C-alpha cells in the first residue's frame, strides 16, 4: 500500500499532505499518533473521508496525494473532518485549478 498508516486508522499518502484519510469509521474524541504528535478527532469522521493534520485558514490549500485537491472555505483545526462543508475542490476547474507546485 502506498503511504503510511497511523495507528491503524488513518492513511497518510504523501509527506506533503496536510490531511489523512480515515480507513475506518471514527468518532469524536478518538485519537491517533501522527508525525507531529497526537491528533484528537473533533467530530465523527466516516470511512474514506479526510481529517486535517494541521490548522488551515480560508484559502489555504488542502493537499492529498502530494497534490493540491482543494482550498479551505472555513477555518479548519487539526482533527476536524475536511469535506464539502469546509473545503472547496479546485480539481478540474479552470477558474480555480491549483497549478502551483507542492513542496514535500
Amino acid at each position: 500500500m502506498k503511504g503510511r498508516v497511523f495507528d491503524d486508522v488513518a492513511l497518510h499518502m504523501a509527506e506533503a499532505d496536510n490531511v489523512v484519510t480515515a480507513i475506518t469509521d471514527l468518532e469524536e474524541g478518538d485519537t491517533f499518533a501522527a508525525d507531529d504528535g497526537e491528533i484528537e478527532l473533533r467530530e465523527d469522521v466516516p470511512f474514506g473521508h479526510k481529517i486535517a493534520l494541521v490548522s488551515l485558514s480560508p484559502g489555504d490549500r488542502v493537499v492529498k496525494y502530494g497534490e493540491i485537491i482543494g482550498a479551505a472555505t472555513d477555518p479548519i483545526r487539526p482533527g476536524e473532518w475536511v469535506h464539502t462543508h469546509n473545503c472547496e475542490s479546485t480539481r478540474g476547474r479552470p477558474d480555480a485549478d491549483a497549478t502551483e507546485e507542492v513542496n514535500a
Side-chain angles (χ1 to χ4, degrees), residues 12-28:
H12 192 227
M13 295 296 295
E15 285 300 315
D17 292 359
N18 56 18
V19 296
V20 293
T21 303
I23 56 175
T24 187
D25 290 330
L26 299 171
E27 296 181 356
E28 180 180 354

Side-chain angles (χ1 to χ4, degrees), residues 32 39-43 45 51-54 77-81:
F32 62 90
I39 301 291
E40 181 176 349
L41 296 182
R42 298 178 183 272
E43 57 198 307
V45 179
I51 304 162
L53 290 175
V54 299
R77 299 177 296 170
E80 285 189 350
W81 179 28

